[in-house]
Amino acid sequence: MARKLFGTDGIRGRTNAGVMTAATAMKVGQAAGRHFVRGGHRHRVVIGKDTRLSGYMMESALVAGFTSVGIDVIMTGPLPTPAIALLTREMRADLGVMISASHNLFADNGIKLFGPDGFKLSDEAEAEIERLMETDIPLVPAERIGRARRIEDARGRYIHAVKQSVAADIRFDGLKVVVDCANGAAYQVAPSAIWELGAEVIALGVTPNGININDGVGSTAIAALQAKVVEEGADIGIALDGDADRLIVVDEKGRAVDGDQIMALIAGRMQDKGLLRGGGIVATVMSNLGLERYLAGRGLTLERAKVGDRYVLEAMKAGGFNVGGEQSGHMILLDHGTTGDGTVAALRVLASLVRSGKPASEVLHVFDPVPQLLKNVRYEGGKPLDNPQVQAVIAEAEAALAGKGRLVIRPSGTEPVIRVMAEGDDRAQVEQVVDAICEAVHAAV
C-alpha cells in the first residue's frame, strides 16, 4: 500500500491546510492507539512537541484521539525529538509521539511516531496506521476512556541522560560555547546540559514565542551563530534545529562544519578506542565523497542509505553499525540513543576539543571535501524525472562523471522539489552538470 500521509520523517505540512489539521491529528491518535494495543495492560503514549504555536492545537487533538480509544497520555511539553524516544522507553510506554516540523518555519508542523523500543516506525507500520485511518475506528466505552497528565521532570531526565554520553573524567571548564537552539525544543535543555558540564555558555535562539522557531536561527540559518562566535571570541558554536535532532558546528573562526566532518571525527575517535562497530559508518547518498575516501584510508567503509535518518537507522541496525548520520547534521549514536540527537553529538564534539587541547578549526577539519553542488528545482505537479529529455541529460551527466565523481537526483520527501547534487574533483564540471540538469527539469515543468 502506497503511503499518502507519511513522508521520510512522519507526517508534515502547513497547519490548518491540507493534511496537517486537528482532525488529522485526532485520527492519527485513534489509529496509532489501535495499532499499538498489545495486551490487556493499561496502554500509554508519551507526547512531546517543539515550540510552534500550532503545537497546542495538535497536542490537544492527539490527546483526544488517543484517549478516545482507551490510551493514557503523558505530555512532556517542549522537548527534543530524541528525548521523546528516550522517555517512551524509560516509561514503558507503548508508543511515543513528537509534534514537530523539524527545521521548517512555524507555519508547518508534523507528527513523528516512535514504537515502544524508541525507534521510529517502519514503512509497514506507518502504512498500517494509514489504512486504519481510512476505517471507522471503534471507540471504547465511557468507563475505559484514557486519562491525560503532564509530567514536570521530563527536562531533567533528558539532561541527565545526555550527560551520560560523555566520559566521567571529562569537564568543559575553560570552554566558551555559543549554543543556538533555533527558538525550538532544546531551548532549555541544551544550554543547561553544556553548562552543567562546566562550559561558559552564550545562548542564542532561546526565546520562543510560537512563531520564531528556525527564523534566522538554528542549524539552517547559522549566520547569527557565526557572527556571535567571532564577536565573543568563543571556542566553538553549536547550532541545533527546531526539534534538536540535528547539529551543525561553527569553529572559532566562524566557519561552518557539517555533519560529514562531525561523523568523521566521531568515527575516528571511536575507532581509536576500539568502540566503533560494523567496520565503518552509515551515511546517505548526499554525503561527500571526501568522507568516503577518508574512511577508506582508515580501513573503514561508508555504507550509503536513502536520504532520511530513518533509512540511515535501518541500515545501521541491519549491518551492526553504531555510528551514522547525514550531512545535514543528523547524528545517530546507537550507544546513546535510538534516533538522531544533536545535543549528544555536540557533547561528543566538545569532549574531543577538551581531549585534544587544540582549537576547533584543527580538530573539526578531518578531511578535505571534494567540490559538491546541490540545487533545488521546485515544481507544481507531474513527475519531471520521467520526462525523456530530462532522463537524457541525466544520462549524459552520469557518463561525464563516471569514475570522477557522483550524481544524485531525487525528489524531496517533504516538499515538491527535485534535488540535484553532483560532486567531483573538477569544480567547473560539477557546476556544468548540475546546471544542465536543473535547466532540463525547469523546461519539463
Side-chain angles (χ1 to χ4, degrees), residues 238-323:
I238 301 297
L240 305 172
D241 68 336
D243 68 334
D245 65 352
R246 68 166 73 181
L247 164 75
I248 296 294
V249 174
V250 170
D251 69 21
E252 82 282 2
K253 298 178 181 179
R255 297 183 302 194
V257 179
D258 67 13
D260 285 346
Q261 296 282 0
I262 297 169
M263 282 188 284
L265 172 68
I266 292 174
R269 297 270 177 174
M270 291 182 67
Q271 183 190 26
D272 291 343
K273 296 177 182 178
L275 300 175
L276 188 68
R277 299 197 302 274
I281 69 172
V282 178
T284 76
V285 294
M286 304 302 286
S287 279
N288 195 275
L289 185 59
L291 172 61
E292 187 171 343
R293 291 173 176 173
Y294 165 77
L295 293 171
R298 294 187 64 117
L300 300 174
T301 61
L302 174 63
E303 181 165 332
R304 294 185 183 270
K306 292 192 297 183
V307 171
D309 61 328
R310 61 183 293 145
Y311 301 117
V312 172
L313 182 56
E314 287 175 4
M316 291 174 68
K317 292 167 70 177
F321 298 90
N322 59 344
V323 175

Side-chain angles (χ1 to χ4, degrees), residues 6 10-11 25 28-30 32-33 36 44-50 58-59 61-63 66 71-77 79-88 93-100 109-116 118-121 129:
F6 287 90
I11 304 171
V28 168
Q30 292 173 332
F36 278 95
R44 63 170 53 162
V45 57
V46 175
I47 300 179
K49 61 182 180 179
D50 62 25
M58 304 304 288
E59 179 185 59
L62 281 162
V63 170
F66 281 114
I71 308 293
D72 289 340
V73 177
I74 298 169
M75 294 171 285
T76 70
L79 270 185
T81 290
I84 303 309
L86 168 74
L87 290 171
T88 299
D94 299 278
L95 72 160
V97 182
M98 178 65 183
I99 306 166
S100 176
N109 215 331
I111 299 172
K112 306 179 186 183
L113 300 176
F114 295 92
F119 288 102
K120 290 181 180 178
L121 301 190
I129 290 170

Side-chain angles (χ1 to χ4, degrees), residues 80-162:
T81 290
I84 303 309
L86 168 74
L87 290 171
T88 299
R89 300 194 317 277
E90 274 200 354
M91 304 191 77
R92 307 299 191 269
D94 299 278
L95 72 160
V97 182
M98 178 65 183
I99 306 166
S100 176
S102 190
H103 58 280
N104 293 22
L105 295 178
F106 87 96
D108 292 343
N109 215 331
I111 299 172
K112 306 179 186 183
L113 300 176
F114 295 92
D117 56 1
F119 288 102
K120 290 181 180 178
L121 301 190
S122 65
D123 289 351
E124 293 74 20
E126 289 180 344
E128 174 60 16
I129 290 170
E130 281 197 14
R131 187 194 68 78
L132 287 171
M133 290 175 67
E134 295 176 350
T135 68
D136 291 326
I137 299 172
L139 307 182
V140 297
E143 67 274 11
R144 290 179 51 206
I145 290 173
R147 299 177 182 271
R149 61 176 291 187
R150 292 190 180 275
I151 57 172
E152 302 301 326
D153 63 343
R155 290 195 300 270
R157 293 188 188 204
Y158 177 66
I159 290 171
H160 175 75
V162 298

